[in-house]
Amino acid sequence: MFCYKFPCGDFQTLTTMTETGITFDPPVYEQRYCAAIQFLEDSRWTEQIKKVVEFGCAEMRFFQLMRRIETIENILLVDIDEPLLRKNSISVNPLVSDYIRHRLSPLNVRILQGSVADSSEELRNTDAVVALELIEHVYDDVLSKIPSNVFGFMQPKLVVFSTPNSDYNVIFTRFNPLLPNGFRHDDHKFEWTREEFKSWCLSIVEKYPNYMFSLLGVGNPPKDLESVGHVSQIAIFVRKDFLESQLENPLVTNPKLDEESTPYKLVHSVDYPFNVDTRTEKEKIWNEVQIELNRFKRIANSSENEIDHYQDTYKMPIADLLERLHYVKATKEILGELLHENNIKVEDEYVIIEDSDEESQWSDPNDLSEHLSQEAVLIDQEQDQEEEYWDSNPENGT
């Protein structure tokens, strides 16, 4: 085992127990999603997480957060329930705003019908596996095959499992009895205590010693009842070479498919639009210089401050321009070259801006305002679409 701490710090959540029940703010499923996103975005490995497989993707809710991670280029959404996948497949398509605010890297999304227990060609070269509240829904024959498929065949860098903590059920039963099957959900095949979950994790790293794991949880217990632990327990497995440790065994370069496995079935596939920036570094800087010079001129025309203003000529301090260009790593030397190459005058550490100078794409502030207004409308449409989706797919807090 190893000790893992969330990169953004402990969750600021609220658990409230009343006479009629217990509530979680935010809901526990949102806390699970937030935890999983923090795992994927951990600076120690996020740049090398290019392909992610989510098993038990259900309504594709976690995908809506995962797709926003720019470094991920392939997402496989796998579930055994084909009708459910087809019902929700439209929710992975790009929104209108995705065609305006292009990603900086490609993203291919595939929805696949298949079992978490089956190896399949599509699973090769996976970097991260996420399975939230999945394992408690499978029978023993499937559960026993999950480690060999994930840690033996796929060999990802990162694996995340979450499952209900049955120790917490003593609190739920204060308000309502468990279901006739003895669990929180009618499809659960088991619910593990914290010790049972830890034992399962230990058995995995014993068989696959290239991995270490850490146990965490979300859904805090009420005050004075901390001994029951969290509502949902989480295990994060990390391959030792990403924890600055040596691998116990060499990775299998071309693992064999299990002959008894059923191949996956492709249900839906989509590519997201992305921006291919072919500009040189100097071209990028020059484009930003044009924008900043025109912005300075617009501010000078619309304000009554003490900016030097001589008819159709404006003077911008080079130091101010460099400060505005720090995000593109512009140096004074490169800036001087660009100003000289584009016939922009420089006098006494000031850039001389004339109306005849070439203007940027948004030289007219009204054009820029109109463009931003259009984008704001499209962003609002995206938010409305997402809210409509969640409203039509309600889920309880756990």
Side-chain angles (χ1 to χ4, degrees), residues 257-395:
L257 294 169
D258 186 341
E259 295 180 356
E260 298 181 358
S261 292
T262 301
Y264 286 2
K265 178 181 179 181
L266 180 64
V267 174
H268 184 59
S269 178
V270 63
D271 289 305
Y272 271 60
F274 72 100
N275 179 54
V276 180
D277 195 342
T278 59
R279 296 175 297 168
T280 65
E281 290 303 313
K282 286 187 68 173
E283 288 173 337
K284 293 176 184 178
I285 295 173
W286 172 239
N287 290 154
E288 298 304 313
V289 168
Q290 292 176 288
I291 291 172
E292 295 300 336
L293 294 180
N294 279 281
R295 178 181 290 125
F296 183 88
K297 185 166 62 176
R298 290 198 302 272
I299 292 173
N301 280 329
S302 62
S303 65
E304 297 179 357
N305 55 27
E306 297 180 357
I307 297 175
D308 291 334
H309 182 195
Y310 302 100
Q311 298 180 354
D312 295 329
T313 302
Y314 311 85
K315 297 170 66 177
M316 181 178 188
I318 290 179
D320 289 356
L321 180 56
L322 278 171
E323 184 177 352
R324 292 175 178 271
L325 297 172
H326 73 277
Y327 59 92
V328 289
K329 300 179 181 179
T331 65
K332 189 173 183 179
E333 291 72 20
I334 293 176
L335 178 59
E337 292 177 11
L338 288 169
L339 295 173
H340 176 73
E341 291 170 2
N342 290 277
N343 298 317
I344 304 296
K345 296 179 182 178
V346 177
E347 294 180 359
D348 299 326
E349 299 297 313
Y350 284 87
V351 179
I352 308 302
I353 310 170
E354 299 177 353
D355 279 344
S356 59
D357 290 340
E358 181 182 357
E359 296 189 350
S360 64
Q361 179 182 2
W362 304 115
S363 57
D364 186 343
N366 294 324
D367 291 344
L368 177 58
S369 176
E370 180 181 356
H371 172 77
L372 292 176
S373 297
Q374 292 173 350
E375 182 167 351
V377 169
L378 291 169
I379 292 172
D380 287 342
Q381 290 175 351
E382 175 184 351
Q383 293 173 340
D384 290 342
Q385 290 173 14
E386 290 183 347
E387 290 175 2
E388 181 180 353
Y389 176 74
W390 300 133
D391 290 342
S392 64
N393 293 274
E395 180 177 72

Side-chain angles (χ1 to χ4, degrees), residues 116-282:
V116 63
D118 290 334
S119 58
S120 188
E121 285 292 339
E122 295 88 347
L123 300 180
R124 294 188 187 276
N125 303 312
T126 294
D127 297 309
V129 171
V130 178
L132 303 178
E133 307 298 284
L134 168 69
I135 57 176
E136 66 274 8
H137 290 273
V138 304
Y139 288 106
D140 288 344
D141 59 335
V142 174
L143 182 66
S144 64
K145 294 180 180 179
I146 290 176
S148 61
N149 187 34
V150 173
F151 298 95
F153 177 73
M154 299 174 71
Q155 307 173 99
K157 303 172 177 70
L158 177 73
V159 181
V160 180
F161 287 108
S162 78
T163 192
N165 167 27
S166 66
D167 293 331
Y168 206 101
N169 289 350
V170 296
I171 295 180
F172 289 135
T173 55
R174 292 187 177 192
F175 309 102
N176 293 292
L178 297 174
L179 298 178
N181 63 358
F183 303 127
R184 303 179 193 174
H185 191 283
D186 57 10
D187 188 52
H188 285 183
K189 309 304 186 290
F190 63 84
E191 288 177 1
W192 279 336
T193 65
R194 285 165 291 171
E195 281 302 315
E196 288 171 325
F197 188 44
K198 180 179 178 180
S199 177
W200 184 71
C201 295
L202 286 169
S203 69
I204 289 175
V205 296
E206 181 178 353
K207 186 174 182 180
Y208 302 97
N210 281 343
Y211 291 87
M212 298 180 70
F213 74 95
S214 184
L215 295 175
L216 304 97
V218 293
N220 292 333
K223 186 177 180 181
D224 300 327
L225 293 171
E226 289 82 359
S227 62
V228 301
H230 296 89
V231 172
S232 185
Q233 48 190 338
I234 301 175
I236 173 174
F237 293 81
V238 182
R239 219 170 61 197
K240 287 184 177 179
D241 49 333
F242 285 85
L243 293 173
E244 299 182 351
S245 298
Q246 189 172 4
L247 293 176
E248 298 290 333
N249 301 312
L251 296 175
V252 181
T253 55
N254 188 28
K256 294 181 179 180
L257 294 169
D258 186 341
E259 295 180 356
E260 298 181 358
S261 292
T262 301
Y264 286 2
K265 178 181 179 181
L266 180 64
V267 174
H268 184 59
S269 178
V270 63
D271 289 305
Y272 271 60
F274 72 100
N275 179 54
V276 180
D277 195 342
T278 59
R279 296 175 297 168
T280 65
E281 290 303 313
K282 286 187 68 173

